[in-house]
Amino acid sequence: MDFEEIVIPTERLSFPALAAGEGPIVVCWHGFPDHPASFGPLAERLVAAGRRVVAPFLRGHHPSTFDQLPFADGLTLAADAAAVNAALSPEPLDVIGHDIGAGVAGRLAAGWPSRVRRVITMSVPPPATLRHIFDDPAQQQRFFYLFMFQVPGVAESLLNSTLIEYLWRTWSPGLSVPPHVLSMYEDPQLRANALKLYRANFDRSLHDPSLSSMAQATEKPAPIPMLVLAGAQDGCITPDNYTDAATGLAPGSRVEIVADAGHFLQLDRPDEVAALALDWLR
């Protein structure tokens, strides 16, 4: 997919993004360890169907924003997404989020529903059900990296290409890490910011106090129906973690387990994911 790099000026930050196509906008938020360009195969299919795809870099994940991550909690990222939508259009926009981006999309829909038309999340259950995910010891083992990232020095030493290749290989069996992802994570400033996102799960000093009044609302089910996609072969968050997903979703939502897909299902099965996405966005 041939993307152009654009900058989206907002009241919060100027967000670098990859963009392609013309037509109604679909905003796509990436996760970890990943890059907006990994939406390429999905974007190619959305563009062919008459959509414009805009895939921003998460705050702190582009050289121009490395020093712009004082707070790294999920609510900060959702507020960023609301600002991006407002800057791109006065009308509500369609949003797709993968991995960390799934949390961004879910919290955006819960906290700023007027900014969202249709929502699709991939590879992470809805925010309102995530508190139960740590109840399973096997899932805690799969989240070893999350706990490892809390240890100063150890995390900085071990977040390298070897770990990233291992995570991709384990999460989506048979899938190789794209060169753009490895290149992105070569930068120590970006790695530090990625660790900060995970440390914000436990460190309240990394939460923006100006957004605290919205924290409760964004962890509740969004009022907007969502399409939740998961890979049947996901080695990070297994499909059984979606059994109770409906309790965290608005009526009219759907959960789809994509066969023969891992965590990076938009790369594993782009045709199937695009078909599901286009049907939902219509």
Side-chain angles (χ1 to χ4, degrees):
M1 185 72 213
D2 292 327
F3 286 110
E4 62 170 327
E5 185 163 327
I6 64 172
V7 176
I8 307 166
T10 82
E11 60 184 13
R12 292 176 58 79
L13 185 72
S14 289
F15 287 90
L18 302 183
E22 298 295 334
I25 295 172
V26 184
V27 182
C28 298
W29 289 96
H30 70 91
F32 167 88
D34 209 354
H35 185 290
S38 295
F39 282 110
L42 177 59
E44 183 177 1
R45 290 156 175 79
L46 296 180
V47 167
R51 306 302 298 260
R52 177 167 174 77
V53 174
V54 177
F57 288 80
L58 289 171
R59 176 187 288 264
H61 284 62
H62 185 277
S64 68
T65 66
F66 280 164
D67 61 347
Q68 299 294 314
L69 193 68
F71 304 108
D73 56 307
L75 186 49
T76 288
L77 302 182
D80 288 346
V84 165
N85 278 20
L88 289 173
S89 173
E91 300 299 322
L93 295 179
D94 295 326
V95 178
I96 299 175
H98 175 254
D99 189 80
I100 289 174
V104 172
R107 293 181 178 92
L108 167 65
W112 293 267
S114 65
R115 294 292 179 198
V116 179
R117 194 186 78 92
R118 302 287 271 175
V119 181
I120 300 170
T121 65
M122 300 190 290
S123 301
V124 174
T129 66
L130 282 177
R131 63 184 178 277
H132 300 300
I133 202 168
F134 293 100
D135 295 344
D136 177 15
Q139 185 58 51
Q140 291 184 34
Q141 287 185 308
R142 288 188 286 270
F143 278 161
F144 77 93
Y145 63 97
L146 189 156
F147 303 113
M148 183 183 77
F149 287 170
Q150 309 307 313
V151 185
V154 172
E156 285 78 3
S157 175
L158 294 180
L159 179 50
N160 54 32
S161 60
T162 301
L163 177 63
I164 291 170
E165 288 170 348
Y166 172 80
L167 294 177
W168 273 69
R169 185 171 64 248
T170 304
W171 293 355
S172 270
L175 190 65
S176 298
V177 190
H180 57 256
V181 172
L182 291 175
S183 176
M184 182 179 185
Y185 281 85
E186 286 177 354
D187 194 301
Q189 295 180 86
L190 184 140
R191 294 198 302 272
N193 284 341
L195 292 175
K196 190 179 284 189
L197 294 186
Y198 281 93
R199 288 170 176 169
N201 289 319
F202 302 96
D203 185 351
R204 300 291 298 184
S205 72
L206 294 174
H207 291 217
D208 185 349
S210 72
L211 295 171
S212 61
S213 63
M214 299 193 65
Q216 189 173 13
T218 56
E219 297 304 314
K220 292 181 178 179
I224 298 171
M226 298 197 297
L227 173 63
V228 176
L229 303 180
Q233 309 302 322
D234 192 333
C236 178
I237 300 178
T238 51
D240 54 291
N241 285 287
Y242 295 82
T243 302
D244 297 324
T247 63
L249 296 168
S253 299
R254 279 170 43 206
V255 178
E256 294 279 352
I257 307 300
V258 181
D260 301 319
H263 189 72
F264 300 95
L265 67 168
Q266 72 273 36
L267 294 173
D268 288 319
R269 308 297 291 179
D271 287 332
E272 290 84 344
V273 170
L276 288 165
L278 287 167
D279 180 65
W280 185 257
L281 297 179
R282 288 191 190 99

